[in-house]
Amino acid sequence: MDNIDFRYLTTIVFTSIFGVFGIYHLLSFLVLRHKILLYYIILIFGLTVHWSLSLIIDGSFSEQIILIANKTSLTTAMISTFGLLMFTKSYLNISQNNHPTLATIYRVFAIIMICLPGLHILNNIITKIDWLNSSLVLLAAIMALSTALLSLFSGIRLYNAKKFNKYYLYSYSPYLLGSILYIASWFSQKYYNVDTDLVILSTSILVTFQLILFSLLISYKYKSIEDYTIKMQVEANDRLNTEVEKQTEHLQIAKQDLEYKNEELEKVNKLKNKLFSLLTHDVRGPLNNVGTIVSMIESQLEESELKEITKKLKNEVTERISMVNVLLDWSYKQLEGVTLDQQMCDLETVITAIKREFKRAADEKSITIELNISCRDLLIDENMLKVMLRNLLSNAIKFSKKGQKVILSSQIISNRVKISVKDFGLGMNTDWHDASKNNNNHSARVREGTSGEKGTGFGLMITKDFVEMNGGEIICKSEINKGTEFILSFKNSTNEQVKPHI
């Protein structure tokens, strides 16, 4: 077999081997998507193309094709060298954070390898300077050898930095020896015309062996990374299970504590319910009886100082009965838990009934109660509505002068049902709600009516809460000595036509 046949045979065989390695790792990269595989693919395909150029350079092709292949060899050499450089950098985990000096050297090498093929191509196309072309080829050979030495130095420098670094150093010997032999044969053939077939064969074998070692190295590293990842996941799961068990134990303790407190709270609520039930029967009842007795005594007395005292006593008892009724109703609802019983309510019927309840109190001060009902239907808790109207009408009468009037009205404005209680008496501060919340002194909240009646402000607070429970809002308009108007505004929850007041 002559030299040409031998060179062709070795080139075809090793080019095929490199190509198979490249395809295998390309498929691996498409699955694993790791950058170290990408750099390894660049290294292998660079070698494959570089070796295959020998088929053209030494083959029976035209001089133009051979010249192009010869010029292209620098580019393919830099591609494979760049692949080795970046593969080493990635495998040894060299970065600006942990090894800034080495990372900078690798960056400079990478820039030179990228620029060299570009300068070489531009020189051959545009300037065509022979000495520059030779210099670039020589620089490419130096960069290839320097990269091999830099990789060796990095392996030694970072031998103990990571577990896998020592394996890289052990497996790197074939490539280093192959690089030295290849560059030596290139110099010998270029400048001394020495037969290098045996050197090329040795280099091809060494590079092939190196590729096998690198492939095994990558596989082993991935296996170890996978084992380490599984170990970390198991440890994380164990920690998570331990934490979940602790939290579960804490939750169980908290649950038991909460159940115990709920039981205690339920006992206290039952006790309070019994207490307010007793108050309802044992306090409110006797107060009503006292009021009735005082009224009977007053009616039997003639005009005298004693009758005036009896009249004041009756007013005091009436006020206390009203306050006790309001407080008991409110407290009982708070203890039992608020449950709304909203139904369609006939406002005319409710307001008329409230007017009758306060007829005697209004007549005593010669106050006229006028009704102006243009809206009759409202979805609301009727019992709560009665409490609201009692509180507002009681205050209106209390703070009105003799001979004045109070207007109760209902109307629809902008799809809102508005119920108004308006008087023309003493007036009040419209920030009553904020003042009541910020002032804990009960005596400071007491106001006197036009006949000396006492007002605590409890009724307004209860009214506001009941309005909000029913999804409404309370609006206060007032001027001192000109009167007060409270407006209860609720959403119109019916599409029925409003029944006009007849």
mmCIF file of all heavy atoms in Angstrom, residues 26-67:
data_model
loop_
_atom_site.group_PDB
_atom_site.id
_atom_site.type_symbol
_atom_site.label_atom_id
_atom_site.label_comp_id
_atom_site.label_asym_id
_atom_site.label_seq_id
_atom_site.Cartn_x
_atom_site.Cartn_y
_atom_site.Cartn_z
ATOM 1 N N LEU A 26 -24.058 15.008 20.112
ATOM 2 C CA LEU A 26 -25.076 15.975 19.687
ATOM 3 C C LEU A 26 -26.456 15.530 20.160
ATOM 4 O O LEU A 26 -27.245 16.336 20.669
ATOM 5 C CB LEU A 26 -25.057 16.122 18.162
ATOM 6 C CG LEU A 26 -26.143 17.040 17.574
ATOM 7 C CD1 LEU A 26 -25.998 18.458 18.107
ATOM 8 C CD2 LEU A 26 -26.075 17.029 16.043
ATOM 9 N N LEU A 27 -26.745 14.232 19.995
ATOM 10 C CA LEU A 27 -28.018 13.694 20.483
ATOM 11 C C LEU A 27 -28.108 13.818 22.009
ATOM 12 O O LEU A 27 -29.170 14.132 22.553
ATOM 13 C CB LEU A 27 -28.166 12.231 20.059
ATOM 14 C CG LEU A 27 -28.269 11.983 18.543
ATOM 15 C CD1 LEU A 27 -28.305 10.484 18.251
ATOM 16 C CD2 LEU A 27 -29.521 12.661 17.968
ATOM 17 N N SER A 28 -26.986 13.593 22.696
ATOM 18 C CA SER A 28 -26.967 13.742 24.153
ATOM 19 C C SER A 28 -27.247 15.187 24.560
ATOM 20 O O SER A 28 -27.986 15.448 25.512
ATOM 21 C CB SER A 28 -25.605 13.308 24.711
ATOM 22 O OG SER A 28 -25.338 11.953 24.397
ATOM 23 N N PHE A 29 -26.669 16.114 23.804
ATOM 24 C CA PHE A 29 -26.899 17.526 24.113
ATOM 25 C C PHE A 29 -28.365 17.912 23.901
ATOM 26 O O PHE A 29 -28.933 18.683 24.683
ATOM 27 C CB PHE A 29 -25.996 18.403 23.235
ATOM 28 C CG PHE A 29 -26.318 19.872 23.335
ATOM 29 C CD1 PHE A 29 -25.978 20.596 24.463
ATOM 30 C CD2 PHE A 29 -26.988 20.518 22.294
ATOM 31 C CE1 PHE A 29 -26.290 21.949 24.557
ATOM 32 C CE2 PHE A 29 -27.296 21.863 22.376
ATOM 33 C CZ PHE A 29 -26.940 22.580 23.514
ATOM 34 N N LEU A 30 -28.984 17.395 22.855
ATOM 35 C CA LEU A 30 -30.396 17.704 22.587
ATOM 36 C C LEU A 30 -31.300 17.204 23.706
ATOM 37 O O LEU A 30 -32.376 17.764 23.945
ATOM 38 C CB LEU A 30 -30.825 17.101 21.247
ATOM 39 C CG LEU A 30 -30.143 17.682 20.003
ATOM 40 C CD1 LEU A 30 -30.589 16.922 18.755
ATOM 41 C CD2 LEU A 30 -30.450 19.178 19.870
ATOM 42 N N VAL A 31 -30.848 16.157 24.408
ATOM 43 C CA VAL A 31 -31.641 15.623 25.526
ATOM 44 C C VAL A 31 -31.318 16.348 26.827
ATOM 45 O O VAL A 31 -32.204 16.801 27.551
ATOM 46 C CB VAL A 31 -31.391 14.107 25.676
ATOM 47 C CG1 VAL A 31 -32.112 13.572 26.922
ATOM 48 C CG2 VAL A 31 -31.870 13.372 24.429
ATOM 49 N N LEU A 32 -30.007 16.489 27.135
ATOM 50 C CA LEU A 32 -29.592 17.019 28.440
ATOM 51 C C LEU A 32 -29.478 18.536 28.473
ATOM 52 O O LEU A 32 -29.600 19.145 29.537
ATOM 53 C CB LEU A 32 -28.242 16.394 28.834
ATOM 54 C CG LEU A 32 -28.251 14.872 28.970
ATOM 55 C CD1 LEU A 32 -26.836 14.367 29.243
ATOM 56 C CD2 LEU A 32 -29.187 14.445 30.092
ATOM 57 N N ARG A 33 -29.200 19.168 27.340
ATOM 58 C CA ARG A 33 -29.118 20.621 27.228
ATOM 59 C C ARG A 33 -28.102 21.213 28.201
ATOM 60 O O ARG A 33 -28.369 22.207 28.875
ATOM 61 C CB ARG A 33 -30.501 21.243 27.502
ATOM 62 C CG ARG A 33 -31.559 20.867 26.508
ATOM 63 C CD ARG A 33 -31.318 21.553 25.184
ATOM 64 N NE ARG A 33 -32.364 21.232 24.219
ATOM 65 C CZ ARG A 33 -32.408 21.727 22.989
ATOM 66 N NH1 ARG A 33 -31.463 22.557 22.587
ATOM 67 N NH2 ARG A 33 -33.362 21.392 22.155
ATOM 68 N N HIS A 34 -26.936 20.610 28.292
ATOM 69 C CA HIS A 34 -25.895 21.142 29.168
ATOM 70 C C HIS A 34 -24.771 21.729 28.314
ATOM 71 O O HIS A 34 -24.361 21.146 27.318
ATOM 72 C CB HIS A 34 -25.353 20.043 30.078
ATOM 73 C CG HIS A 34 -24.639 20.578 31.275
ATOM 74 N ND1 HIS A 34 -23.387 21.129 31.209
ATOM 75 C CD2 HIS A 34 -25.016 20.653 32.578
ATOM 76 C CE1 HIS A 34 -23.000 21.519 32.419
ATOM 77 N NE2 HIS A 34 -23.981 21.242 33.269
ATOM 78 N N LYS A 35 -24.252 22.887 28.755
ATOM 79 C CA LYS A 35 -23.283 23.605 27.921
ATOM 80 C C LYS A 35 -21.964 22.830 27.764
ATOM 81 O O LYS A 35 -21.267 23.006 26.753
ATOM 82 C CB LYS A 35 -23.010 24.980 28.501
ATOM 83 C CG LYS A 35 -22.435 24.980 29.902
ATOM 84 C CD LYS A 35 -22.233 26.403 30.396
ATOM 85 C CE LYS A 35 -21.661 26.421 31.810
ATOM 86 N NZ LYS A 35 -21.477 27.810 32.302
ATOM 87 N N ILE A 36 -21.600 21.991 28.727
ATOM 88 C CA ILE A 36 -20.353 21.243 28.597
ATOM 89 C C ILE A 36 -20.410 20.295 27.395
ATOM 90 O O ILE A 36 -19.416 20.077 26.699
ATOM 91 C CB ILE A 36 -20.046 20.460 29.906
ATOM 92 C CG1 ILE A 36 -18.601 19.932 29.852
ATOM 93 C CG2 ILE A 36 -21.033 19.324 30.123
ATOM 94 C CD1 ILE A 36 -18.157 19.317 31.166
ATOM 95 N N LEU A 37 -21.592 19.745 27.131
ATOM 96 C CA LEU A 37 -21.772 18.902 25.945
ATOM 97 C C LEU A 37 -21.679 19.719 24.667
ATOM 98 O O LEU A 37 -21.163 19.250 23.644
ATOM 99 C CB LEU A 37 -23.126 18.183 26.021
ATOM 100 C CG LEU A 37 -23.200 16.990 26.983
ATOM 101 C CD1 LEU A 37 -24.626 16.480 27.085
ATOM 102 C CD2 LEU A 37 -22.274 15.879 26.539
ATOM 103 N N LEU A 38 -22.185 20.943 24.705
ATOM 104 C CA LEU A 38 -22.100 21.815 23.525
ATOM 105 C C LEU A 38 -20.641 22.097 23.169
ATOM 106 O O LEU A 38 -20.244 22.009 21.992
ATOM 107 C CB LEU A 38 -22.847 23.124 23.801
ATOM 108 C CG LEU A 38 -22.771 24.179 22.694
ATOM 109 C CD1 LEU A 38 -23.411 23.664 21.410
ATOM 110 C CD2 LEU A 38 -23.435 25.477 23.147
ATOM 111 N N TYR A 39 -19.829 22.408 24.175
ATOM 112 C CA TYR A 39 -18.412 22.668 23.914
ATOM 113 C C TYR A 39 -17.707 21.402 23.424
ATOM 114 O O TYR A 39 -16.803 21.464 22.566
ATOM 115 C CB TYR A 39 -17.729 23.194 25.176
ATOM 116 C CG TYR A 39 -18.304 24.502 25.667
ATOM 117 C CD1 TYR A 39 -18.447 24.761 27.032
ATOM 118 C CD2 TYR A 39 -18.709 25.488 24.779
ATOM 119 C CE1 TYR A 39 -18.968 25.960 27.485
ATOM 120 C CE2 TYR A 39 -19.228 26.690 25.215
ATOM 121 C CZ TYR A 39 -19.359 26.915 26.573
ATOM 122 O OH TYR A 39 -19.882 28.098 27.017
ATOM 123 N N TYR A 40 -18.094 20.271 23.960
ATOM 124 C CA TYR A 40 -17.481 19.007 23.531
ATOM 125 C C TYR A 40 -17.840 18.699 22.081
ATOM 126 O O TYR A 40 -17.009 18.192 21.315
ATOM 127 C CB TYR A 40 -17.958 17.884 24.463
ATOM 128 C CG TYR A 40 -17.167 16.609 24.335
ATOM 129 C CD1 TYR A 40 -15.781 16.626 24.234
ATOM 130 C CD2 TYR A 40 -17.805 15.373 24.311
ATOM 131 C CE1 TYR A 40 -15.051 15.455 24.127
ATOM 132 C CE2 TYR A 40 -17.083 14.197 24.198
ATOM 133 C CZ TYR A 40 -15.703 14.245 24.106
ATOM 134 O OH TYR A 40 -14.986 13.099 23.993
ATOM 135 N N ILE A 41 -19.075 19.030 21.684
ATOM 136 C CA ILE A 41 -19.499 18.843 20.283
ATOM 137 C C ILE A 41 -18.666 19.737 19.360
ATOM 138 O O ILE A 41 -18.234 19.326 18.281
ATOM 139 C CB ILE A 41 -21.000 19.153 20.140
ATOM 140 C CG1 ILE A 41 -21.823 18.086 20.878
ATOM 141 C CG2 ILE A 41 -21.414 19.193 18.680
ATOM 142 C CD1 ILE A 41 -23.279 18.466 21.034
ATOM 143 N N ILE A 42 -18.433 20.987 19.791
ATOM 144 C CA ILE A 42 -17.603 21.905 18.984
ATOM 145 C C ILE A 42 -16.202 21.324 18.806
ATOM 146 O O ILE A 42 -15.627 21.341 17.702
ATOM 147 C CB ILE A 42 -17.534 23.292 19.662
ATOM 148 C CG1 ILE A 42 -18.930 23.941 19.658
ATOM 149 C CG2 ILE A 42 -16.526 24.194 18.944
ATOM 150 C CD1 ILE A 42 -18.990 25.242 20.432
ATOM 151 N N LEU A 43 -15.655 20.790 19.902
ATOM 152 C CA LEU A 43 -14.321 20.176 19.832
ATOM 153 C C LEU A 43 -14.312 19.002 18.841
ATOM 154 O O LEU A 43 -13.433 18.921 17.961
ATOM 155 C CB LEU A 43 -13.917 19.695 21.236
ATOM 156 C CG LEU A 43 -12.708 18.753 21.324
ATOM 157 C CD1 LEU A 43 -11.452 19.452 20.818
ATOM 158 C CD2 LEU A 43 -12.508 18.263 22.755
ATOM 159 N N ILE A 44 -15.305 18.113 18.930
ATOM 160 C CA ILE A 44 -15.300 16.909 18.092
ATOM 161 C C ILE A 44 -15.529 17.255 16.631
ATOM 162 O O ILE A 44 -14.815 16.761 15.738
ATOM 163 C CB ILE A 44 -16.379 15.926 18.590
ATOM 164 C CG1 ILE A 44 -16.017 15.422 19.988
ATOM 165 C CG2 ILE A 44 -16.509 14.745 17.634
ATOM 166 C CD1 ILE A 44 -17.093 14.573 20.623
ATOM 167 N N PHE A 45 -16.499 18.123 16.348
ATOM 168 C CA PHE A 45 -16.771 18.452 14.942
ATOM 169 C C PHE A 45 -15.643 19.275 14.334
ATOM 170 O O PHE A 45 -15.379 19.188 13.121
ATOM 171 C CB PHE A 45 -18.108 19.180 14.807
ATOM 172 C CG PHE A 45 -19.281 18.246 14.800
ATOM 173 C CD1 PHE A 45 -20.187 18.216 15.843
ATOM 174 C CD2 PHE A 45 -19.481 17.373 13.736
ATOM 175 C CE1 PHE A 45 -21.263 17.354 15.835
ATOM 176 C CE2 PHE A 45 -20.546 16.503 13.718
ATOM 177 C CZ PHE A 45 -21.449 16.485 14.768
ATOM 178 N N GLY A 46 -14.966 20.078 15.159
ATOM 179 C CA GLY A 46 -13.785 20.795 14.662
ATOM 180 C C GLY A 46 -12.706 19.812 14.233
ATOM 181 O O GLY A 46 -12.095 19.962 13.156
ATOM 182 N N LEU A 47 -12.493 18.783 15.077
ATOM 183 C CA LEU A 47 -11.508 17.753 14.714
ATOM 184 C C LEU A 47 -11.941 16.985 13.470
ATOM 185 O O LEU A 47 -11.122 16.674 12.594
ATOM 186 C CB LEU A 47 -11.334 16.780 15.893
ATOM 187 C CG LEU A 47 -10.571 17.307 17.118
ATOM 188 C CD1 LEU A 47 -10.653 16.305 18.258
ATOM 189 C CD2 LEU A 47 -9.115 17.585 16.754
ATOM 190 N N THR A 48 -13.242 16.673 13.405
ATOM 191 C CA THR A 48 -13.745 15.896 12.261
ATOM 192 C C THR A 48 -13.513 16.633 10.951
ATOM 193 O O THR A 48 -12.998 16.061 9.963
ATOM 194 C CB THR A 48 -15.247 15.617 12.447
ATOM 195 O OG1 THR A 48 -15.453 14.947 13.687
ATOM 196 C CG2 THR A 48 -15.779 14.761 11.310
ATOM 197 N N VAL A 49 -13.874 17.915 10.913
ATOM 198 C CA VAL A 49 -13.709 18.705 9.685
ATOM 199 C C VAL A 49 -12.225 18.902 9.379
ATOM 200 O O VAL A 49 -11.799 18.824 8.213
ATOM 201 C CB VAL A 49 -14.434 20.058 9.814
ATOM 202 C CG1 VAL A 49 -14.195 20.912 8.570
ATOM 203 C CG2 VAL A 49 -15.929 19.845 10.032
ATOM 204 N N HIS A 50 -11.441 19.153 10.439
ATOM 205 C CA HIS A 50 -10.010 19.386 10.234
ATOM 206 C C HIS A 50 -9.342 18.139 9.657
ATOM 207 O O HIS A 50 -8.500 18.240 8.746
ATOM 208 C CB HIS A 50 -9.353 19.771 11.563
ATOM 209 C CG HIS A 50 -7.949 20.234 11.422
ATOM 210 N ND1 HIS A 50 -7.612 21.451 10.863
ATOM 211 C CD2 HIS A 50 -6.757 19.632 11.755
ATOM 212 C CE1 HIS A 50 -6.304 21.593 10.860
ATOM 213 N NE2 HIS A 50 -5.744 20.495 11.395
ATOM 214 N N TRP A 51 -9.680 16.966 10.171
ATOM 215 C CA TRP A 51 -9.097 15.728 9.649
ATOM 216 C C TRP A 51 -9.582 15.459 8.219
ATOM 217 O O TRP A 51 -8.812 15.002 7.381
ATOM 218 C CB TRP A 51 -9.491 14.557 10.558
ATOM 219 C CG TRP A 51 -8.320 13.922 11.243
ATOM 220 C CD1 TRP A 51 -7.760 12.732 10.956
ATOM 221 C CD2 TRP A 51 -7.580 14.451 12.342
ATOM 222 N NE1 TRP A 51 -6.711 12.457 11.800
ATOM 223 C CE2 TRP A 51 -6.575 13.518 12.676
ATOM 224 C CE3 TRP A 51 -7.658 15.639 13.078
ATOM 225 C CZ2 TRP A 51 -5.671 13.721 13.704
ATOM 226 C CZ3 TRP A 51 -6.768 15.843 14.106
ATOM 227 C CH2 TRP A 51 -5.784 14.890 14.402
ATOM 228 N N SER A 52 -10.836 15.767 7.941
ATOM 229 C CA SER A 52 -11.384 15.458 6.612
ATOM 230 C C SER A 52 -10.781 16.339 5.523
ATOM 231 O O SER A 52 -10.821 15.973 4.333
ATOM 232 C CB SER A 52 -12.909 15.628 6.614
ATOM 233 O OG SER A 52 -13.262 16.976 6.864
ATOM 234 N N LEU A 53 -10.211 17.507 5.911
ATOM 235 C CA LEU A 53 -9.585 18.369 4.903
ATOM 236 C C LEU A 53 -8.384 17.693 4.257
ATOM 237 O O LEU A 53 -8.000 18.030 3.132
ATOM 238 C CB LEU A 53 -9.158 19.697 5.542
ATOM 239 C CG LEU A 53 -10.289 20.655 5.947
ATOM 240 C CD1 LEU A 53 -9.721 21.890 6.629
ATOM 241 C CD2 LEU A 53 -11.104 21.060 4.719
ATOM 242 N N SER A 54 -7.802 16.724 4.953
ATOM 243 C CA SER A 54 -6.647 16.009 4.373
ATOM 244 C C SER A 54 -7.041 15.245 3.133
ATOM 245 O O SER A 54 -6.231 15.032 2.214
ATOM 246 C CB SER A 54 -6.045 15.056 5.416
ATOM 247 O OG SER A 54 -5.601 15.768 6.539
ATOM 248 N N LEU A 55 -8.302 14.790 3.082
ATOM 249 C CA LEU A 55 -8.781 14.072 1.898
ATOM 250 C C LEU A 55 -8.767 14.970 0.673
ATOM 251 O O LEU A 55 -8.561 14.500 -0.459
ATOM 252 C CB LEU A 55 -10.195 13.535 2.145
ATOM 253 C CG LEU A 55 -10.344 12.505 3.265
ATOM 254 C CD1 LEU A 55 -11.827 12.198 3.491
ATOM 255 C CD2 LEU A 55 -9.582 11.241 2.917
ATOM 256 N N ILE A 56 -9.004 16.260 0.923
ATOM 257 C CA ILE A 56 -9.017 17.200 -0.212
ATOM 258 C C ILE A 56 -7.607 17.657 -0.558
ATOM 259 O O ILE A 56 -7.210 17.693 -1.731
ATOM 260 C CB ILE A 56 -9.907 18.419 0.142
ATOM 261 C CG1 ILE A 56 -11.339 17.956 0.408
ATOM 262 C CG2 ILE A 56 -9.861 19.459 -0.962
ATOM 263 C CD1 ILE A 56 -12.262 19.068 0.882
ATOM 264 N N ILE A 57 -6.848 17.990 0.499
ATOM 265 C CA ILE A 57 -5.504 18.522 0.249
ATOM 266 C C ILE A 57 -4.617 17.494 -0.450
ATOM 267 O O ILE A 57 -3.853 17.804 -1.368
ATOM 268 C CB ILE A 57 -4.877 18.966 1.587
ATOM 269 C CG1 ILE A 57 -5.677 20.144 2.161
ATOM 270 C CG2 ILE A 57 -3.414 19.357 1.404
ATOM 271 C CD1 ILE A 57 -5.248 20.557 3.549
ATOM 272 N N ASP A 58 -4.733 16.225 -0.040
ATOM 273 C CA ASP A 58 -3.888 15.188 -0.624
ATOM 274 C C ASP A 58 -4.595 14.428 -1.748
ATOM 275 O O ASP A 58 -4.060 13.447 -2.273
ATOM 276 C CB ASP A 58 -3.467 14.184 0.449
ATOM 277 C CG ASP A 58 -2.616 14.844 1.528
ATOM 278 O OD1 ASP A 58 -1.914 15.817 1.203
ATOM 279 O OD2 ASP A 58 -2.701 14.397 2.701
ATOM 280 N N GLY A 59 -5.778 14.838 -2.094
ATOM 281 C CA GLY A 59 -6.537 14.127 -3.115
ATOM 282 C C GLY A 59 -6.343 14.707 -4.499
ATOM 283 O O GLY A 59 -5.614 15.672 -4.713
ATOM 284 N N SER A 60 -7.047 14.097 -5.441
ATOM 285 C CA SER A 60 -6.926 14.519 -6.847
ATOM 286 C C SER A 60 -8.008 15.540 -7.167
ATOM 287 O O SER A 60 -8.927 15.290 -7.944
ATOM 288 C CB SER A 60 -7.062 13.293 -7.762
ATOM 289 O OG SER A 60 -8.287 12.628 -7.515
ATOM 290 N N PHE A 61 -7.919 16.708 -6.520
ATOM 291 C CA PHE A 61 -8.861 17.797 -6.774
ATOM 292 C C PHE A 61 -8.127 18.923 -7.476
ATOM 293 O O PHE A 61 -6.889 18.943 -7.574
ATOM 294 C CB PHE A 61 -9.464 18.300 -5.455
ATOM 295 C CG PHE A 61 -10.352 17.285 -4.768
ATOM 296 C CD1 PHE A 61 -9.814 16.410 -3.814
ATOM 297 C CD2 PHE A 61 -11.702 17.196 -5.077
ATOM 298 C CE1 PHE A 61 -10.615 15.483 -3.185
ATOM 299 C CE2 PHE A 61 -12.496 16.260 -4.447
ATOM 300 C CZ PHE A 61 -11.955 15.403 -3.491
ATOM 301 N N SER A 62 -8.880 19.894 -7.941
ATOM 302 C CA SER A 62 -8.262 21.029 -8.625
ATOM 303 C C SER A 62 -7.447 21.849 -7.640
ATOM 304 O O SER A 62 -7.659 21.798 -6.419
ATOM 305 C CB SER A 62 -9.355 21.914 -9.249
ATOM 306 O OG SER A 62 -10.178 22.477 -8.239
ATOM 307 N N GLU A 63 -6.504 22.597 -8.187
ATOM 308 C CA GLU A 63 -5.633 23.399 -7.325
ATOM 309 C C GLU A 63 -6.426 24.425 -6.529
ATOM 310 O O GLU A 63 -6.076 24.739 -5.383
ATOM 311 C CB GLU A 63 -4.575 24.100 -8.193
ATOM 312 C CG GLU A 63 -3.568 23.147 -8.821
ATOM 313 C CD GLU A 63 -2.488 23.898 -9.576
ATOM 314 O OE1 GLU A 63 -2.543 25.161 -9.580
ATOM 315 O OE2 GLU A 63 -1.602 23.248 -10.141
ATOM 316 N N GLN A 64 -7.510 24.943 -7.126
ATOM 317 C CA GLN A 64 -8.322 25.955 -6.432
ATOM 318 C C GLN A 64 -8.990 25.360 -5.200
ATOM 319 O O GLN A 64 -8.983 25.959 -4.115
ATOM 320 C CB GLN A 64 -9.391 26.519 -7.393
ATOM 321 C CG GLN A 64 -10.188 27.691 -6.832
ATOM 322 C CD GLN A 64 -9.331 28.930 -6.645
ATOM 323 O OE1 GLN A 64 -8.297 29.092 -7.318
ATOM 324 N NE2 GLN A 64 -9.718 29.773 -5.697
ATOM 325 N N ILE A 65 -9.530 24.156 -5.351
ATOM 326 C CA ILE A 65 -10.194 23.499 -4.216
ATOM 327 C C ILE A 65 -9.186 23.140 -3.148
ATOM 328 O O ILE A 65 -9.439 23.300 -1.941
ATOM 329 C CB ILE A 65 -10.961 22.253 -4.703
ATOM 330 C CG1 ILE A 65 -12.105 22.661 -5.640
ATOM 331 C CG2 ILE A 65 -11.492 21.461 -3.516
ATOM 332 C CD1 ILE A 65 -12.852 21.500 -6.237
ATOM 333 N N ILE A 66 -8.033 22.646 -3.565
ATOM 334 C CA ILE A 66 -6.993 22.292 -2.600
ATOM 335 C C ILE A 66 -6.520 23.527 -1.833
ATOM 336 O O ILE A 66 -6.286 23.490 -0.623
ATOM 337 C CB ILE A 66 -5.813 21.609 -3.315
ATOM 338 C CG1 ILE A 66 -6.260 20.257 -3.872
ATOM 339 C CG2 ILE A 66 -4.624 21.444 -2.381
ATOM 340 C CD1 ILE A 66 -5.199 19.577 -4.728
ATOM 341 N N LEU A 67 -6.402 24.676 -2.565
ATOM 342 C CA LEU A 67 -5.972 25.919 -1.928
ATOM 343 C C LEU A 67 -6.989 26.370 -0.877
ATOM 344 O O LEU A 67 -6.624 26.778 0.232
ATOM 345 C CB LEU A 67 -5.783 27.006 -3.000
ATOM 346 C CG LEU A 67 -5.337 28.377 -2.470
ATOM 347 C CD1 LEU A 67 -3.963 28.254 -1.793
ATOM 348 C CD2 LEU A 67 -5.303 29.400 -3.599
#
